[in-house]
Amino acid sequence: MRNTFYSIITFFLLFSCTTEKQEITNTLCDNQQYLLTKNIDLPPFNFDLNINTEEHIEILKDSLKNNLNDYPNLFNWEYKDRIITIDIIPIHLMSCSVSRHELNLILNTKNQMLFDTELKRTDSVIPLVKKNYQSKISKVKVINVDFPYGLSKPIINDIVYDISEGYLKAVEQQSNTIFKKSICELTKEEIKILKEDNQIHIYFQSFSDQIEENHRIQEMININ
């Protein structure tokens, strides 16, 4: 009986240590966070990306003091252990953007995912982004996230998080290849070089579509 008691205590102690270690592992260093944000001074939002799109847009317009109908905008989204910059780019301005390589991630009402026209599991985003990001077609990678007809359950929060994870894993390999050390060990000058050569833009299609739709309707109202 006593042996059983000590075995149970030992199990919980080991589980506790494993959990603590996992939490430490998942904490980003300053250099990793720097890679995920375009401008750390932008106001961070922690709202649920899956719901209340129109309400979120109004909050962004009020907080950023910008007219979202007229030009590209960024906002910082706070989730779990990180702040991730998300792009909102009105469709009529996309032709003005710099040369880039795009990856398209589309979800339907059954939470089935097309990743660049191929049907993939939603829990495979991290390795997919890592693999595709390592293609040096362009310094700038744009990942379009879209779910035009809704979802069967909220998963966009974790999808965006996994995109950032896949990106960091890909850039970690770049860091080890170029500088022979991990991202967290790089100097300020080195991390700037790494970021310049490995940019990422997470483009939130659903927000952009909502903005464009409102913009077109308003133009028709003004004409009449």
Side-chain angles (χ1 to χ4, degrees), residues 79-105:
Y79 187 63
K80 294 184 178 179
D81 64 337
R82 62 197 60 185
I83 297 175
I84 304 169
T85 297
I86 296 178
D87 293 355
I88 308 175
I89 308 175
I91 295 171
H92 61 273
L93 286 174
M94 291 190 69
S95 60
C96 301
S97 60
V98 296
S99 175
R100 62 198 191 182
H101 176 54
E102 293 188 10
L103 301 172
N104 296 297
L105 192 158

Side-chain angles (χ1 to χ4, degrees), residues 93-166:
L93 286 174
M94 291 190 69
S95 60
C96 301
S97 60
V98 296
S99 175
R100 62 198 191 182
H101 176 54
E102 293 188 10
L103 301 172
N104 296 297
L105 192 158
I106 304 173
L107 295 124
N108 65 10
T109 54
K110 296 181 180 179
N111 282 1
Q112 296 167 320
M113 182 178 76
L114 286 179
F115 192 93
D116 265 13
T117 71
E118 293 186 16
L119 186 63
K120 300 291 184 180
R121 291 164 53 95
T122 55
D123 61 2
S124 64
V125 171
I126 293 176
L128 286 170
V129 171
K130 179 183 176 183
K131 177 183 177 180
N132 282 273
Y133 192 87
Q134 289 167 338
S135 169
K136 299 303 288 184
I137 297 174
S138 169
K139 289 183 178 182
V140 181
K141 299 292 191 300
V142 178
I143 301 182
N144 301 320
V145 180
D146 194 18
F147 47 106
Y149 305 108
L151 303 165
S152 59
K153 61 180 180 179
I155 61 172
I156 293 298
N157 293 341
D158 291 329
I159 290 286
V160 174
Y161 183 90
D162 287 351
I163 289 173
S164 73
E165 273 291 287

Side-chain angles (χ1 to χ4, degrees), residues 26-37:
N26 287 340
T27 300
L28 296 188
C29 68
D30 290 344
N31 282 347
Q32 289 172 315
Q33 183 56 73
Y34 172 74
L35 291 173
L36 294 178
T37 51

Side-chain angles (χ1 to χ4, degrees), residues 170-181:
V171 180
E172 179 67 33
Q173 287 195 348
Q174 286 290 317
S175 178
N176 284 307
T177 299
I178 298 170
F179 299 106
K180 309 302 180 186
K181 51 186 175 181

